[in-house]
Amino acid sequence: MRITAASDSSLLISFGDAISLENHYRVISLFHAVRSWGDPRIRNLHPAYASLLIDFDPLCLSHEDLQGIVEPLLRGAASGTGKSSSAVEIPVCYEAAFAADLASVAQHCSLTAEQVIALHAAAGYFVYFLGFAPGFAYLGGLPRQLEVPRLPTPRKHVPAGSVALAGRQTGIYPNDSPGGWNLIGRTPLRMFDPSANPPSRLQPGDSVRIRRIDRNEFESIAKASAQ
């Protein structure tokens, strides 16, 4: 575990370099502990795979002050016994219109398209952190059989709600954007709403389950969400 000054107004707490469930729990445990203060001197928290970046007001706190506050919390975080914040179900339609890369993923993994879908839908996921774009959740827990590289050339446009794979992770594009992950499905849910509190449907530490739906249910949920 390391504590370092990352800038004149931020402190980085690192639990090592490994991407693991144990480090995920350590990060999330500390993330929730710091957020529970409600301290206005803490401006933002940025969890990552194995670290937490704490952004603070340098006019009100020093690095030494913040380190003194954080260190007692680290004993609990170091145990790696954190639990998920919430359990979230995400409906996903894997039909061809939403799954531009499903066939190539299946070929790369030496599986049928149906086997890819079954493996993806049956797994349990957890939110490492949000990044890349507002509300984009990096989800761990992807079955090893579905590990695939990013696309050699990113797409200029990926529709909001697209469910995708890259490396050992899956993710859901919250808004229309460019993207280089492999598209295998889509959710009709709105994953990011600036007017909501919180704006992102998924939060660091959440556990996520996929519920497979057909095109009719997709359209029904999409219609209800738009109202």
Side-chain angles (χ1 to χ4, degrees):
M1 191 189 314
R2 299 187 304 272
I3 303 176
T4 55
S7 73
D8 61 353
S9 62
S10 61
L11 197 68
L12 181 68
I13 295 90
S14 174
F15 295 97
D17 301 318
I19 298 176
S20 67
L21 190 57
E22 290 75 18
N23 276 340
H24 165 70
Y25 283 147
R26 292 181 180 110
V27 171
I28 294 304
S29 177
L30 184 59
F31 170 75
H32 286 309
V34 176
R35 189 168 67 171
S36 68
W37 296 343
D39 192 325
R41 298 174 298 176
I42 305 298
R43 299 188 299 199
N44 216 336
L45 300 173
H46 305 274
Y49 292 114
S51 64
L52 179 68
L53 183 71
I54 305 176
D55 179 60
F56 62 91
D57 185 346
L59 298 179
C60 301
L61 278 176
S62 68
H63 292 91
E64 293 74 19
D65 292 335
L66 183 56
Q67 182 168 338
I69 296 170
V70 168
E71 281 182 337
L73 302 175
L74 289 172
R75 287 187 288 273
S79 67
T81 57
K83 299 299 180 184
S84 296
S85 303
S86 301
V88 183
E89 180 183 87
I90 303 294
V92 175
C93 181
Y94 295 93
E95 293 191 13
F98 303 140
D101 301 311
L102 180 57
S104 60
V105 168
Q107 183 178 24
H108 178 88
C109 299
S110 299
L111 299 168
T112 66
E114 185 58 36
Q115 286 172 326
V116 171
I117 293 169
L119 284 167
H120 186 266
Y125 301 100
F126 46 90
V127 181
Y128 273 124
F129 62 95
L130 307 181
F132 165 63
F136 187 99
Y138 287 79
L139 304 179
L142 184 73
R144 188 172 294 276
Q145 302 99 303
L146 299 183
E147 183 174 348
V148 290
R150 295 170 181 260
L151 299 176
T153 303
R155 289 183 172 89
K156 294 181 180 179
H157 177 260
V158 175
S162 293
V163 177
L165 310 179
R168 287 292 310 284
Q169 296 181 106
T170 190
I172 306 172
Y173 286 83
N175 298 294
D176 293 352
S177 70
W181 291 28
N182 300 270
L183 308 184
I184 65 166
R186 193 179 302 173
T187 179
L189 297 180
R190 188 174 184 182
M191 300 303 296
F192 183 80
D193 181 356
S195 64
N197 184 22
S200 177
R201 185 176 293 273
L202 297 177
Q203 296 295 313
D206 284 352
S207 63
V208 178
R209 300 295 302 191
I210 300 294
R211 181 172 66 87
R212 184 178 182 180
I213 60 174
D214 60 19
R215 185 64 178 268
N216 288 335
E217 188 171 1
F218 179 96
E219 299 297 346
S220 177
I221 295 173
K223 183 178 180 180
S225 299
Q227 293 177 349

